[in-house]
Amino acid sequence: MKDQMPPGGHTVDASVNARAWNHIAAQDEADPAVSTPGEVPRTIEWTCWPGRGPGAEWIGDLSRTRVAELGCGTGEHTAYAAENGARLAVGVDVADQRIAQARARFGHLPAIDFKVGDAAEILDEPRLDVCFSIYGALWYAEPTRLIPVIHNRLRPGGILAFSVNAPRDGELPGRRVDNLTLTGGARLPVIHYSYGADAWRRLLAECGFADTQVLPIEGPDGSPYRTLVIRTRRGAD
Ligand SMILES: C[S@@+](CC[C@H](N)C(=O)[O-])C[C@H]1O[C@@H](n2cnc3c(N)ncnc32)[C@H](O)[C@@H]1O
């Protein structure tokens, strides 16, 4: 198990988060489902609670579109885009072991491409129609670095859709260090950026996004978590 700096990723956040997710990938390696061709999901789940929140209609018809998923993990939602008409579906992840698993599962699909690196550094496809992220780079990377990059890569009118957790009750918004717990009990730091609905609206508007919608989705009874499912558009130039 190597702890690699991601190509192009020079921020502390990217290297801390890559290390954590490479450890999770190594832990998952025993599960054949992450290293053999996988089943493409029938929809997109925007929250970690199946059936809560919108489905694939949140980003609309993907026919002939150019799509990027930022923080794609093992790649199933990038695969969804490729299977549902996208002419380009790029999955980006900062953890090289996650991308190795995504390639093993879905690399055979036409129109799909997977890339290793910090999304704020390596997203270089021009004129994208849709960028999306599910508890991915928009949650883990500094938004004032990443959102302008996404804005530059989307065509005017292109969609940015993503899910992130909101701060829990009593938590201050902003950059926070949390922990992922491995099955053996070891805890690995990860770095999140956690904001409420109004702060996301402001961050997006400041970077030239318009028509922002934020759906707050509560976790199951007793859960302290609330996920925000967000959709916005690059404004006209
Ligand atoms: C919670 S997982 C979600 C994975 C996937 N979207 C899913 O729903 O299963 C977060 C993923 O974001 C990736 N990630 C974190 N920071 C990133 C960054 N700056 N650029 C690209 N990927 C990043 C992590 O490596 C990890 O695979």
Side-chain angles (χ1 to χ4, degrees), residues 6 11 13-15 17-22 24 45-48 69-77 92-96 98-99 115-122 132-142 145-146 163 180 190-192:
T11 66
D13 298 355
S15 51
N17 290 331
R19 177 172 177 267
W21 287 100
N22 275 329
I24 296 284
E45 294 279 0
W46 295 92
T47 76
C48 54
E69 182 182 8
L70 311 180
C72 66
T74 51
E76 51 270 27
H77 291 116
V92 175
D93 203 285
V94 76
D96 62 320
R98 271 306 195 214
I99 288 294
K115 305 200 310 185
V116 180
D118 177 356
E121 300 268 342
I122 66 155
F132 74 99
S133 178
I134 300 168
Y135 303 113
L138 271 295
W139 196 23
Y140 288 93
E142 221 275 283
R145 270 183 80 229
L146 180 56
S163 55
L180 290 181
V190 286
I191 294 166
H192 289 302

Side-chain angles (χ1 to χ4, degrees), residues 6-231:
H10 301 299
T11 66
V12 171
D13 298 355
S15 51
V16 166
N17 290 331
R19 177 172 177 267
W21 287 100
N22 275 329
H23 276 276
I24 296 284
Q27 172 181 284
D28 290 353
E29 199 57 35
D31 178 357
V34 299
S35 48
T36 53
E39 198 172 322
V40 178
R42 292 206 193 149
T43 187
I44 294 179
E45 294 279 0
W46 295 92
T47 76
C48 54
W49 309 297
R52 281 183 193 234
E57 76 287 350
W58 188 241
I59 48 177
D61 181 5
L62 294 177
S63 304
R64 307 288 308 147
T65 54
R66 292 164 52 80
V67 178
E69 182 182 8
L70 311 180
C72 66
T74 51
E76 51 270 27
H77 291 116
T78 310
Y80 175 90
E83 279 274 276
N84 284 272
R87 67 190 156 105
L88 175 69
V90 183
V92 175
D93 203 285
V94 76
D96 62 320
Q97 302 301 305
R98 271 306 195 214
I99 288 294
Q101 291 168 340
R103 286 187 179 128
R105 297 183 76 198
F106 302 113
H108 59 282
L109 295 177
I112 210 161
D113 188 21
F114 289 110
K115 305 200 310 185
V116 180
D118 177 356
E121 300 268 342
I122 66 155
L123 185 67
D124 57 5
E125 288 72 17
R127 297 195 65 78
L128 292 167
D129 299 288
V130 178
C131 268
F132 74 99
S133 178
I134 300 168
Y135 303 113
L138 271 295
W139 196 23
Y140 288 93
E142 221 275 283
T144 58
R145 270 183 80 229
L146 180 56
I147 296 172
V149 172
I150 297 171
H151 185 269
N152 282 338
R153 299 295 174 256
L154 282 170
R155 66 165 171 79
I159 291 174
L160 167 61
F162 59 101
S163 55
V164 288
N165 275 354
R168 281 175 285 185
D169 288 347
E171 272 180 4
L172 290 175
R175 185 178 187 271
R176 49 182 306 105
V177 180
D178 227 320
N179 282 291
L180 290 181
T181 305
L182 298 178
T183 45
R187 286 154 68 84
L188 287 166
V190 286
I191 294 166
H192 289 302
Y193 288 82
S194 184
Y195 295 100
D198 288 347
W200 278 112
R201 282 196 193 91
R202 181 179 45 76
L203 285 162
L204 291 161
E206 282 171 0
C207 293
F209 282 92
D211 302 331
T212 300
Q213 285 177 266
V214 181
L215 296 180
I217 310 289
E218 301 294 333
D221 282 354
S223 167
Y225 296 105
R226 182 188 307 122
T227 292
L228 303 179
V229 184
I230 299 175
R231 182 178 60 198

